[in-house]
Every structure is written in C-alpha cells, then in structure tokens.
Amino acid sequence: MKEYKVVFINKNQKKDPEILEASFWEKANCLTDFSSPWKSDPVSKIEFRALHDLENFYFNFQVFDTDIYIDKKDDSVDSIGNSDRVELFFRTNDTLNPYYCLEMDTAARIMDFEAKPNKDFDFNWNWPKEHLEVKSSKGENSFIVEGRISIASLKELNLIQSNTIEAGVYRAKFSKDEKQNYEPTWISWVNPNTPEPNFHIASSFGKFILMK
C-alpha cells in the first residue's frame, strides 16, 4: 500500500480564522502522486497536505484548475455529487464494513456518509458537526479545500490503529463532453486497478502514517 507521512505539529489552541495558518502547511509533506487510470489525458496538478496534533487531523487540497463546475440547483447530495470536488475515504480494514466518505466541493459543501461494500451508502449518517470543519477558497490559478477532523471522532470510529489511518484520496473533475453534458473524470492517489472507475473498493486505499 502507498504511504503518506502526516507530520505532527504543536499548535496554539486559540481559534484561528483559517483552518491552519500558512506557516503550518509549509511543514507538511506534499503529495502530488495523482492520476486518472481510466483516461490518457493529463490531469490538473493536485497538491495534498495533511498534519495532526493532539486534537485534530488537518487536510488541505490545492487543485491547480480554474475551470470549475458546480451544480447550484440546491445543496442536496445529488447537487454536490454533480460538482467538482475532492474526497477522503477512511476505513478500519479492507473489508470496508463499514467505511466513511467525506466529499467536499469548491463551495465547501459537504457530502459525508457511511458506506458498506457494494456501494451501500447511508446518507443519513453524518460526521458530528463539532468534529468536522471545512473551508474553501479560490485563487488566480487554483482552488483550495481544507479542513480538520477531530482525533476523538476518528478514534471513536476505530479509524486510527497503531498510528495509522487507512485512507483514500480522490478528486472528481467535471468537463463538457461532445454533447455539451458535464461528465466526470475520476482521479485517485492510488490506482485501484479496476476496468471502470471505482473508488469504493479496497484496492483504492493507502496509508496515512501519523508521525510523532
């Protein structure tokens, strides 16, 4: 399994306007190893960073793309699911029974749900609001989606074992096809080696190693 080392930080626990100040993200390892195994076209550069302290797991996606599609008809699961977004999945083990999905679009709308094998999704499940925070921003040549998840909630869901989190890191990019319909390109950190795009499979996960 691919591994990504999550650097430990000592953070002043005062409430910051940002998830983390930029000086903290500079300490993180930068993950850029993303691809779309099902398409030969190059994908926009993605930089993923993560950090942790005693209270939170922090994450930051910077996607170097300004051609963003967002479905604005409402804030439903369907609307978020039809928008450009970044995704994190977490599992206890490779049975995927259950695993937890966190999908976030460029407006920081959140689609979080519990899942079981064969794409059995429970959209009534949500990460407790006090244990999850997500923010987004847009620059001249990229957008950022960043957030924090409490260590307490990850432990409650049995997602941290021996200082390791088994996780998938993904992006959905929507573009117009020949018929002017928006269709997704599926991008992943780990190539799941499936004939068709599928993130909801054990082979799409890697490991986050929580450094001390």
Side-chain angles (χ1 to χ4, degrees):
M1 295 175 68
K2 282 187 175 180
E3 294 184 354
Y4 170 81
K5 293 181 178 179
V6 182
V7 172
F8 178 83
I9 57 170
N10 286 308
K11 178 179 177 293
N12 187 329
Q13 293 303 318
K14 70 178 178 64
K15 183 67 175 177
D16 293 322
E18 301 86 12
I19 298 295
L20 278 180
E21 296 175 2
S23 59
F24 283 105
W25 291 123
E26 292 173 0
K27 304 175 187 294
N29 292 311
C30 182
L31 180 66
T32 59
D33 189 14
F34 293 90
S35 65
S36 179
W38 307 280
K39 285 192 174 182
S40 59
D41 298 336
V43 299
S44 300
K45 182 180 179 182
I46 302 168
E47 294 184 351
F48 174 81
R49 294 173 172 84
L51 297 162
H52 74 108
D53 60 16
L54 296 177
E55 294 191 358
N56 293 293
F57 170 85
Y58 304 94
F59 61 88
N60 179 298
F61 290 84
Q62 184 171 10
V63 181
F64 290 83
D65 182 9
T66 56
D67 183 18
I68 299 167
Y69 177 69
I70 184 168
D71 184 333
K72 297 181 179 180
K73 66 177 180 291
D74 54 37
D75 291 331
S76 66
V77 165
D78 287 342
S79 180
I80 299 171
N82 287 327
S83 300
D84 282 11
R85 61 190 186 278
V86 293
E87 307 178 2
L88 287 172
F89 292 2
F90 304 97
R91 72 184 194 190
T92 299
N93 55 52
D94 62 6
T95 66
L96 301 183
N97 192 20
Y99 61 106
Y100 300 90
C101 305
L102 180 59
E103 307 191 10
M104 303 151 286
D105 72 8
T106 59
R109 299 184 301 177
I110 299 170
M111 176 167 58
D112 49 346
F113 54 98
E114 182 185 68
K116 293 181 179 178
N118 300 313
K119 299 186 179 181
D120 179 6
F121 303 153
D122 179 6
F123 289 106
N124 291 319
W125 183 92
N126 300 109
W127 223 288
K129 289 184 178 180
E130 65 272 21
H131 293 284
L132 172 66
E133 182 180 13
V134 174
K135 293 184 177 182
S136 64
S137 59
K138 297 175 184 177
E140 289 185 5
N141 63 351
S142 66
F143 68 85
I144 291 174
V145 177
E146 60 182 329
R148 64 166 186 87
I149 304 170
S150 76
I151 296 295
S153 66
L154 291 168
K155 288 183 175 178
E156 179 71 20
L157 296 170
N158 197 28
L159 295 173
I160 301 178
Q161 300 179 42
S162 301
N163 291 316
T164 299
I165 302 172
E166 296 189 5
V169 189
Y170 318 101
R171 181 191 177 205
K173 162 64 179 175
F174 281 78
S175 304
K176 283 185 179 180
D177 62 14
E178 296 174 353
K179 298 180 180 179
Q180 300 299 301
N181 297 318
Y182 280 93
E183 294 294 334
T185 295
W186 302 104
I187 301 163
S188 178
W189 168 38
V190 176
N191 182 352
N193 291 305
T194 56
E196 300 294 333
N198 188 1
F199 297 161
H200 298 272
I201 189 169
S203 58
S204 76
F205 285 71
K207 291 182 178 181
F208 290 167
I209 310 299
L210 303 180
M211 307 300 291
K212 295 182 179 179

